[in-house]
Amino acid sequence: MGTESFMQLAIEEARKSKTPFGAVIVKDNQVVQRSGNTVQPDNDPTCHAEVNALRQLTKRLGNASLSQGYTLYTTCEPCAMCAATCLWAGVQTIIFGVGADDFADTNPNMINIRCEEVFRRSPKAYSIEGGLLLEECKQLHDDFPIEDL
């Protein structure tokens, strides 16, 4: 599988959760975890797709810290909470579809702290790339408006 295939899986997770937010974690070119956003059904504001995927994976592995080599694919740029969770869990690479600037006007809850800014403040090495399948990820915001969450 390639990067676009992994992002397509994240898009599928977003659609399953009926939100614009889906995430897939990959290691050694294999999907190890998938999740969508469950904030509303779980009545938990921390149940973002990225956090859900990390919770499920670390629970299954029995370790809160991931070893090297994990990549998170997510339909939207991680918020500050999700970025910090990725950092603390040991995710070194984040690849997202829609950047915060692309959907700030459609997300009334957006905090203007970019994912890159959170990672820059850490001594850990990281890689962040945005814009993968941008149009498909933007479409999720039209299909599942934030105010409906």
Side-chain angles (χ1 to χ4, degrees):
M1 290 185 98
T3 57
E4 288 189 3
S5 297
F6 294 132
M7 185 60 79
Q8 283 291 350
L9 294 175
I11 291 168
E12 286 177 23
E13 291 300 312
R15 290 198 175 285
K16 278 195 240 177
S17 70
K18 296 184 171 103
T19 73
F21 311 109
V24 172
I25 301 174
V26 173
K27 181 170 180 161
D28 299 328
N29 211 34
Q30 299 293 317
V31 174
V32 294
Q33 195 63 57
R34 305 164 59 146
S35 187
N37 178 300
T38 61
V39 167
Q40 293 301 322
D42 290 348
N43 295 310
D44 183 341
T46 68
C47 286
H48 293 195
E50 301 91 336
V51 172
N52 285 343
L54 285 165
R55 279 183 180 143
Q56 293 160 7
L57 179 59
T58 56
K59 183 175 184 175
R60 187 165 37 92
L61 295 175
N63 191 339
S65 296
L66 303 174
S67 60
Q68 294 196 13
Y70 287 90
T71 299
L72 175 81
Y73 289 83
T74 182
T75 55
C76 297
E77 181 175 355
C79 69
M81 176 188 72
C82 291
T85 303
C86 289
L87 184 65
W88 289 325
V91 173
Q92 294 176 304
T93 303
I94 295 176
I95 300 173
F96 63 85
V98 178
D101 292 340
D102 297 316
F103 71 96
D105 60 334
T106 63
N107 186 347
N109 303 314
M110 179 93 159
I111 297 170
N112 192 19
I113 299 173
R114 303 295 302 263
C115 177
E116 176 94 25
E117 184 177 344
V118 173
F119 271 76
R120 239 191 350 255
R121 294 172 183 261
S122 166
K124 296 181 180 183
Y126 66 89
S127 172
I128 300 172
E129 300 172 32
L132 183 63
L133 298 183
L134 178 63
E135 293 307 314
E136 292 91 330
C137 292
K138 277 184 175 180
Q139 184 62 44
L140 292 167
H141 286 271
D142 291 336
D143 295 346
F144 306 105
I146 300 291
E147 60 269 9
D148 291 347
L149 297 178

